[in-house]
Amino acid sequence: MNYVFKSDINIEYPFYKEMISKLSGSKSKSLFNGQEKYEVICPRCKKEKAVMGYGRTRNTFILAYPVDGCDLSGIVLHDLIKRYGGDEMFDRWRKARWKTTYTEEWFPIKNKHQT
């Protein structure tokens, strides 16, 4: 079966907000790449110094860790959900982002004696 990847910031936004909640996020007064920013707990080192916001191109969201040597320095929402969102969240993410291109328009070989 073939699938097509649907990239749409509007599809990602509810997952972004859910991940912010999972990481005990709070909205910051400052901006990140010119848009809203949330301060969250880093899922790897558990420090309260990570931030989430729009990526530079504004086609996805990212978690950035701007200080203190954690090796999770920057991660896009897809990888964040895959690694730290849990199986149920990743399944919902996958279903929302990947659409099948399968159609029932195939024609089986017909018996040449049938009319």
Side-chain angles (χ1 to χ4, degrees):
M1 241 190 242
N2 291 327
Y3 291 89
V4 63
F5 181 72
K6 300 292 260 182
S7 183
D8 184 345
I9 200 77
N10 297 314
I11 293 172
E12 287 190 15
Y13 193 78
F15 292 96
Y16 164 68
K17 296 296 278 189
E18 185 177 343
M19 189 53 77
I20 288 168
S21 179
K22 277 183 175 263
L23 299 175
S24 303
S26 60
K27 192 166 187 176
S28 174
K29 292 179 182 176
S30 61
L31 299 177
F32 184 78
N33 291 327
Q35 299 290 324
E36 67 185 9
K37 174 176 94 172
Y38 288 85
E39 296 170 354
V40 298
I41 296 173
C42 175
R44 177 164 294 182
C45 71
K46 308 298 185 212
K47 291 183 182 175
E48 297 180 19
K49 296 183 179 183
V51 294
M52 286 189 71
Y54 286 81
R56 284 191 182 110
T57 59
R58 291 181 179 81
N59 65 348
T60 192
F61 299 97
I62 61 171
L63 178 136
Y65 198 78
V67 293
D68 276 350
C70 177
D71 62 351
L72 190 66
S73 59
I75 184 171
V76 295
L77 184 61
H78 173 78
D79 290 332
L80 187 64
I81 290 171
K82 189 175 177 181
R83 293 184 196 173
Y84 302 104
D87 291 339
E88 186 272 335
M89 185 178 191
F90 184 69
D91 284 344
R92 287 187 291 114
W93 169 259
R94 192 171 35 91
K95 288 176 184 170
R97 301 298 307 278
W98 292 91
K99 302 295 181 192
T100 182
T101 59
Y102 177 76
T103 61
E104 289 285 339
E105 298 176 6
W106 65 282
F107 301 102
I109 299 171
K110 293 184 178 183
N111 187 333
K112 67 180 179 179
H113 297 294
Q114 288 181 336
T115 56

